[in-house]
Amino acid sequence: MLKIENLHASVEGKQILKGINLEVKAGEVHAIMGPNGSGKSTLASVLAGREEYEVTEGSVTFLNDDLLELAPEERAHAGIFLAFQYPIEIPGVSTTNFLKTAVNQTREARGLKAFDAVSFLKEMKEKMKLVDIDQALLSRALNEGFSGGEKKRNEIFQMAMLEPKLSILDETDSGLDIDALKIVADGVNKLKGPDNASIVVTHYQRLLDYIVPDFVHVLYKGRIVKSGDKTLALELEEKGYDWIKEEVAAL
Amino acid sequence: MSEVLTLEDQLLADFDGWLDQHYADASSLKAIKKAGAETFKSLGLPQRKSEAYKYTPITKTIEKNFDIETVENASTLTKSDCEAKFYNEEDANHLVFINGIFVDDYSKIVSGSSDLTIRVLDEQSINEHPELKDNLGKVNGSQIDPFAALNLAYFNQGVFIKSAKNADNKNTYIYQFLDASASQAVIFPRVFVYGSTGSRTRVYEKTFFNGDNNTLNISIVESMVEANAEVRFTKLQNYETNSYAVEGIYAHQAKDSRFYTNTFSFEGAVIRNNVYINIDAENCEGHMNGLYQLSGKSHVDNNTSVDHLKPHSYSNELYKGILDDHSRGVFNGKIYVRPDAQKTNAFQSNNNILLSDDATINTKPQLEIWADDVQCSHGCTTGQLDEDAIFYLQARGVNKPQAKALLLNAFANEALNELQNDLMKEEIEEIILNKLK
Ligand SMILES: Nc1ncnc2c1ncn2[C@@H]1O[C@H](COP(=O)(O)OP(=O)(O)O)[C@@H](O)[C@H]1O
Ligand SMILES: [Mg+2]
């Protein structure tokens, strides 16, 4: 589904990703872990199409398309969803307000009929249940005055509405208490299927108790320096990152 | 050697002949119009150093773009041409002006004298309505602007709108057709709105263009708002790249009254709006809202004043600007609080988004406060669209123009809050969106 080869990216002249290789197949869950500042969010942003980040080398194919050629909205239409680490606030624009445009533009791009007002509301109601989110919250200005948990829940709600093929969750667990974490994980698990995949970025093992990964990768200094199965996450939890850093330094 | 005529001279060259031709010597209107011409002469047009027209060199602009001698103002527009542009609201008044002249025959008036009297502003209506005769051309603020005086001299068949006491009136739409298909058009529409005690009157004006020659619209609205009455006057200025205009709205408020103006400006070569509200009594509310969304080389100048003369009143002003390409916005907001006007609450803000490095905004609040127990505030901001917000929306599948439109709509929305007309609101939202494509 997704194939990243030798991906290099820089921002403001600073090289951040230094040769990422990663393949994600349909049905898989990949966890990406790593210390702060390793480039996890940068990787997520590059995949979502943030212009600030310049790809200097390498390639990314998504469902046989050159992902890097597509505008951010075209990537969303193709099935990429990024749940932001820091969802921004947009005064005067409510979730309900922009999501109808987002969902309908996405549906049209996928050859589906746009929702009319009634079917859109019905769809909303269904997906709201999934992440236990309140209508009132969705009518408020996007993320303005939302708690950390509400912001993350809103991200997962939008994900549910957009039905992506590949979701990238960037530290969706950070700032959540255990109940909120369960709700978010629950939402993600319910959306899982044989035809879609997720990349879960986190630096705590905690989330992976709820969203069980097939693969765990450690990103450090812009490279994937180690990959394994879910036991790698447990090992990291126990030993921290120092041993990885030492291994890298020894090379 | 031939003498170079000033623009003032050119504008008044045929005035006496024109006046004699249209108005009988004994008529009231003739005297009023003569006085208008005299005021215009004594004020003169704004010159280079004019403070009031600082960022809008209007006289030079007119000299450069108009050949006053060749102006004909003839029009071939038919009744059905005009009707085709009416808003789809059956139970409302639809008033047609063609090149500044109110055309009764082309208009559709559903109100009657028991609620809203709508008549040609002419000698007869002046003689039958003392409130018109006594106030025409006299609403405060209009005497200090040369264009208001010039309009008083030259307007011909304006419209007089008078609400009956306590009437809650149907909507009134005014369609200003500017037909410059034969020659340049220089027009002088005039509207007088009289809101009797306890009544509510809402007027919505929109401009249309026919032909490719330059147009100059020198338009004046005067309004007297009596005790506990409400008048709303909204303008949708859908100007074009060869449109020039100086438009004035002058309102006078009696106690417990409310006056609202909304001005929505889209494009125009040089457009100047003068808004002047006199709050001459207690417990009044005066509202001025505006939105200007400009591109190309458009230039829109909003010059507003609210004059608090008596205590315990409230005024609120909000203008928002979206400026693209090489466009220029000008905002000047004056708030006067006179010595007697204790306990005044007066608020003003002007917010702008620049979509291009070449767009300019000149914004200047001006507070002159002589009373000590008042609450006044003003603020202006100028910024760009938030790139992070655009990316967020794009990442959710909203294309870039639509993402910008959503953000700009949210920005502009506040300026639409006081517009109580869904037909016009939807139209404006659509214009905002289309201009971003
Ligand atoms: N927009 C940016 N401008 C400058 N530096 C950036 C920007 N985004 C990320 N960086 C830098 O890139 C590095 C990787 O950041 P990030 O991808 O956010 O790491 P992680 O998500 O793994 O904590 C950090 O050193 C960070 O400071
Ligand atoms: Mg991060």
Side-chain angles (χ1 to χ4, degrees):
Chain A
M1 176 182 276
L2 178 77
K3 192 163 189 188
I4 305 176
E5 283 177 300
N6 193 30
L7 182 66
H8 288 66
S10 65
V11 64
E12 287 167 8
K14 190 169 132 198
Q15 200 67 36
I16 310 218
L17 301 183
K18 298 169 186 161
I20 304 256
N21 292 293
L22 179 68
E23 186 167 0
V24 177
K25 297 202 174 80
E28 294 177 347
V29 175
H30 289 244
I32 295 184
M33 304 181 74
N36 271 332
S38 317
K40 303 185 296 295
S41 293
T42 302
L43 175 61
S45 297
V46 168
L47 294 177
R50 177 109 223 198
E51 269 170 40
E52 257 177 285
Y53 297 90
E54 194 196 344
V55 173
T56 51
E57 219 184 312
S59 67
V60 182
T61 43
F62 179 64
L63 300 169
N64 301 322
D65 279 333
D66 181 355
L67 189 71
L68 302 177
E69 284 294 303
L70 304 179
E73 64 270 26
E74 292 170 328
R75 299 181 193 203
H77 299 161
I80 300 252
F81 180 89
L82 168 60
F84 287 80
Q85 180 173 4
Y86 304 109
I88 61 153
E89 301 184 359
I90 308 186
V93 177
S94 71
T95 309
T96 319
N97 183 237
F98 86 81
L99 205 54
K100 190 163 179 213
T101 311
V103 167
N104 279 341
Q105 285 191 358
T106 302
R107 286 180 68 84
E108 277 167 5
R110 291 176 187 168
L112 300 168
K113 232 181 100 215
F115 282 134
D116 58 26
V118 177
S119 36
F120 179 73
L121 273 180
K122 192 166 152 266
E123 184 74 12
M124 285 243 309
K125 288 257 149 58
E126 246 166 62
K127 300 291 164 71
M128 275 158 57
K129 265 189 255 153
L130 211 64
V131 289
D132 191 24
I133 198 166
D134 218 46
Q135 172 80 62
L137 199 68
L138 302 177
S139 308
R140 274 168 48 188
L142 182 71
N143 292 327
E144 229 179 18
F146 284 26
S147 72
E150 286 170 336
K151 284 182 186 170
K152 296 299 169 81
R153 221 179 286 183
N154 190 9
E155 292 289 287
I156 302 304
F157 167 71
Q158 292 177 43
M159 176 177 126
M161 289 294 291
L162 290 163
E163 303 182 332
K165 294 210 170 67
L166 175 68
S167 20
I168 305 161
L169 308 180
D170 191 1
E171 310 255 1
T172 300
D173 51 336
S174 60
L176 295 189
D177 61 29
I178 198 75
D179 292 332
L181 187 82
K182 277 185 193 159
I183 292 168
V184 164
D186 220 36
V188 173
N189 287 330
K190 279 184 199 151
L191 297 169
K192 230 162 79 175
D195 295 331
N196 53 36
S198 7
I199 297 175
V200 181
V201 175
T202 179
H203 58 255
Y204 302 108
Q205 194 273 335
R206 200 175 62 150
L207 178 68
L208 304 179
D209 286 340
Y210 300 97
I211 303 174
V212 182
D214 301 299
F215 301 93
V216 175
H217 311 277
V218 180
L219 187 64
Y220 179 57
K221 288 193 171 168
R223 281 196 194 92
I224 289 178
V225 294
K226 206 164 189 67
S227 296
D229 61 14
K230 64 184 178 188
T231 57
L232 177 57
L234 292 167
E235 199 178 348
L236 290 168
E237 177 79 355
E238 201 180 307
K239 301 202 282 187
Y241 288 106
D242 285 351
W243 63 282
I244 300 243
K245 292 180 187 171
E246 278 159 27
E247 269 188 31
V248 172
L251 285 179
Chain B
M1 220 174 78
S2 70
E3 209 180 321
V4 181
L5 288 180
T6 63
L7 182 57
E8 284 96 333
D9 291 338
Q10 286 179 50
L11 284 164
L12 289 178
D14 296 327
F15 179 70
D16 291 335
W18 176 85
L19 193 64
D20 288 341
Q21 193 190 330
H22 287 85
Y23 297 90
D25 275 347
S27 73
S28 314
L29 211 41
K30 190 167 192 176
I32 291 172
K33 297 176 83 49
K34 261 193 170 145
E38 288 309 316
T39 310
F40 174 73
K41 267 185 232 165
S42 66
L43 289 171
L45 284 165
Q47 295 309 314
R48 211 157 45 89
K49 294 227 168 88
S50 158
E51 192 53 35
Y53 284 81
K54 188 168 176 181
Y55 296 104
T56 303
I58 189 73
T59 307
K60 218 173 72 197
T61 302
I62 297 172
E63 277 168 351
K64 199 171 137 209
N65 295 289
F66 289 87
D67 180 7
I68 300 297
E69 276 175 30
T70 64
V71 170
E72 294 271 357
N73 283 358
S75 172
T76 52
L77 289 171
T78 64
K79 186 171 183 174
S80 57
D81 291 338
C82 299
E83 273 173 353
K85 306 288 187 187
F86 286 6
Y87 280 99
N88 186 16
E89 187 176 325
E90 274 298 309
D91 201 23
N93 303 300
H94 300 273
L95 314 183
V96 171
F97 275 71
I98 295 179
N99 282 344
I101 293 173
F102 173 49
V103 187
D104 206 1
D105 284 351
Y106 286 13
S107 302
K108 182 178 162 246
I109 297 172
V110 293
S111 294
S113 57
S114 63
D115 47 6
L116 197 67
T117 303
I118 297 174
R119 301 204 26 194
V120 180
L121 201 178
D122 59 6
E123 183 66 17
Q124 197 186 348
S125 58
I126 282 198
N127 290 329
E128 285 170 19
H129 296 278
E131 64 281 1
L132 174 60
K133 188 175 181 175
D134 294 346
N135 294 303
L136 184 66
K138 293 191 183 134
V139 176
N140 209 8
S142 70
Q143 303 87 344
I144 57 171
D145 187 79
F147 294 96
L150 189 65
N151 176 292
L152 190 61
Y154 269 120
F155 87 87
N156 192 17
Q157 302 202 42
V159 75
F160 174 54
I161 300 173
K162 181 193 173 183
S163 172
K165 274 188 188 163
N166 300 322
D168 187 2
N169 295 298
K170 290 168 184 162
N171 288 335
T172 297
Y173 294 94
I174 296 178
Y175 308 95
Q176 294 286 355
F177 290 92
L178 278 90
D179 189 348
S181 47
S183 75
Q184 295 187 337
V186 179
I187 69 161
F188 300 94
R190 193 167 191 110
V191 177
F192 195 104
V193 182
Y194 188 83
S196 298
T197 308
S199 64
R200 291 180 66 182
T201 308
R202 305 169 194 83
V203 185
Y204 303 94
E205 186 186 75
K206 191 177 164 186
T207 32
F208 293 93
F209 295 87
N210 195 30
D212 297 327
N213 294 299
N214 291 350
T215 58
L216 174 59
N217 181 13
I218 297 174
S219 144
I220 295 298
V221 174
E222 283 180 289
S223 184
M224 299 286 296
V225 193
E226 293 300 354
N228 197 31
E230 177 176 310
V231 171
R232 289 173 181 262
F233 202 103
T234 296
K235 288 186 173 194
L236 171 48
Q237 301 177 325
N238 223 340
Y239 278 115
E240 305 196 340
T241 50
N242 55 353
S243 315
Y244 300 80
V246 181
E247 302 196 19
I249 297 184
Y250 300 93
H252 183 273
Q253 295 189 242
K255 74 175 163 61
D256 307 320
S257 68
R258 299 167 304 286
F259 182 76
Y260 294 80
T261 66
N262 292 303
T263 308
F264 302 102
S265 311
F266 300 99
E267 310 308 347
V270 177
I271 309 301
R272 161 68 170 236
N273 292 306
N274 294 314
V275 177
Y276 208 115
I277 300 182
N278 297 281
I279 300 190
D280 197 12
E282 299 196 13
N283 294 318
C284 293
E285 273 187 41
H287 295 260
M288 297 183 264
N289 290 300
L291 173 71
Y292 40 97
Q293 185 184 12
L294 313 176
S295 58
K297 289 182 178 170
S298 291
H299 175 123
V300 171
D301 176 349
N302 285 297
N303 194 282
T304 69
S305 293
V306 58
D307 197 350
H308 286 271
L309 299 148
K310 297 281 158 59
H312 292 289
S313 281
Y314 167 82
S315 67
N316 194 18
E317 174 169 26
L318 175 65
Y319 274 75
K320 293 214 165 188
I322 299 169
L323 303 165
D324 203 354
D325 302 335
H326 283 79
S327 65
R328 169 176 251 174
V330 182
F331 174 81
N332 185 301
K334 294 189 200 71
I335 299 176
Y336 301 105
V337 183
R338 307 289 175 184
D340 279 351
Q342 299 294 356
K343 305 277 183 199
T344 289
N345 288 322
F347 305 104
Q348 176 189 99
S349 64
N350 172 233
N351 311 119
N352 299 285
I353 288 185
L354 302 181
L355 297 176
S356 126
D357 291 341
D358 300 317
T360 330
I361 175 76
N362 301 103
T363 173
K364 184 181 175 200
Q366 214 174 316
L367 273 56
E368 294 187 28
I369 300 172
W370 291 277
D372 46 23
D373 186 11
V374 300
Q375 241 194 317
C376 293
S377 74
H378 67 86
C380 50
T381 60
T382 299
Q384 273 92 38
L385 267 185
D386 183 356
E387 288 294 330
D388 290 339
I390 295 173
F391 177 66
Y392 185 95
L393 295 171
Q394 278 184 286
R396 296 295 136 96
V398 180
N399 66 36
K400 199 166 189 174
Q402 192 88 32
K404 285 184 175 178
L406 273 163
L407 297 174
L408 290 173
N409 255 323
F411 170 79
N413 219 341
E414 224 186 327
L416 288 166
N417 274 348
E418 296 295 352
L419 177 58
Q420 298 181 337
N421 184 316
D422 290 340
L423 288 173
M424 205 178 239
K425 200 176 238 174
E426 273 164 31
E427 183 178 9
I428 289 171
E429 281 169 355
E430 215 174 289
I431 294 173
I432 295 174
L433 185 64
N434 283 334
K435 285 172 61 63
L436 294 165
K437 280 180 182 161

